[in-house]
Amino acid sequence: MIDRKPIESWLTDMDGVLIHEGVPVPGADAFIKRLRETGRPFLVLTNNSIYTPRDLHARLSRMGLDVPVESIWTSALATAKFLDNQHPSGTAYAIGEAGLTTALHDAGYVLTDADPDFVILGETRTYSFEALTKAIRLINDGARFIATNPDNTGPSPEGALPATGSVAALITKATGKDPYFIGKPNPLMMRTGLNALGAHSESSAMIGDRMDTDILAGLEAGMETFLVLTGVTGTADIGQYPFRPTNVVDSIADLVDLV
């Protein structure tokens, strides 16, 4: 085992770690409270690009979790940051909700369907066949294809919903063009988050409930990783992967004393 530096900064996934099916995970409030009391830099991450940080702040507040707006990092924000670095003041045709369009506007992007530089696919509960057809034609005409995250499904009370990854596959099938995915497990999302905190990977930790996104992203970004068993990945699933989390704990409650 490699000796690691003490953890100074924390990144944590939201769904499955802090909340589960709209209810706070026991210990989540104590963990956030401890982070705020100690002044440790932290970010709450989500691959979901539907909501703005202000939306998520309000949603978490209603559940008793006091997460500042500036401590919320979404795949939409990471996408906007990537585009601002790669192609400042560009144009895009975006399929998504306010979380994505607001982030793009704030980054100085113009949203248009007239010869855009990029087609950007995000999460929405109402994917339009008309919008997807337009995206396919724009990509065929030369627009570059970006997707906020690779998640194939999302949760709902009725069961799984098709998410960005599934819809991206449809567009890829129609165009022959693969998107560049920004969200987890792309370590880019972690790196931009760490940069926003002014933190270093060797003294930072990632907490997640999924081996294939959270833990993989943390590992590839060079961070210590904690898998919690309150979400998607169970103990029996860990051995299916060719990589391991640094630590496995029952829930976020087990990490309060480490802050």
Side-chain angles (χ1 to χ4, degrees), residues 97-115:
E97 303 281 347
L100 178 59
T101 55
T102 301
L104 292 171
H105 276 305
D106 289 347
Y109 258 63
V110 172
L111 301 184
T112 178
D113 62 359
D115 194 25

Side-chain angles (χ1 to χ4, degrees), residues 110-181:
V110 172
L111 301 184
T112 178
D113 62 359
D115 194 25
D117 299 314
F118 297 92
V119 165
I120 305 172
L121 178 69
E123 211 80 66
T124 173
R125 294 286 157 78
T126 54
Y127 285 110
S128 149
F129 187 79
E130 181 183 358
L132 296 177
T133 301
K134 186 175 288 292
I136 288 164
R137 290 172 181 166
L138 290 170
I139 291 168
N140 283 336
D141 288 341
R144 286 154 285 180
F145 185 18
I146 301 277
T148 57
N149 64 293
D151 301 56
N152 289 322
T153 61
S156 81
E158 295 80 29
L161 292 169
T164 308
S166 297
V167 179
L170 182 155
I171 295 174
T172 295
K173 197 74 173 175
T175 61
K177 300 287 177 62
D178 292 316
Y180 181 57
F181 290 109

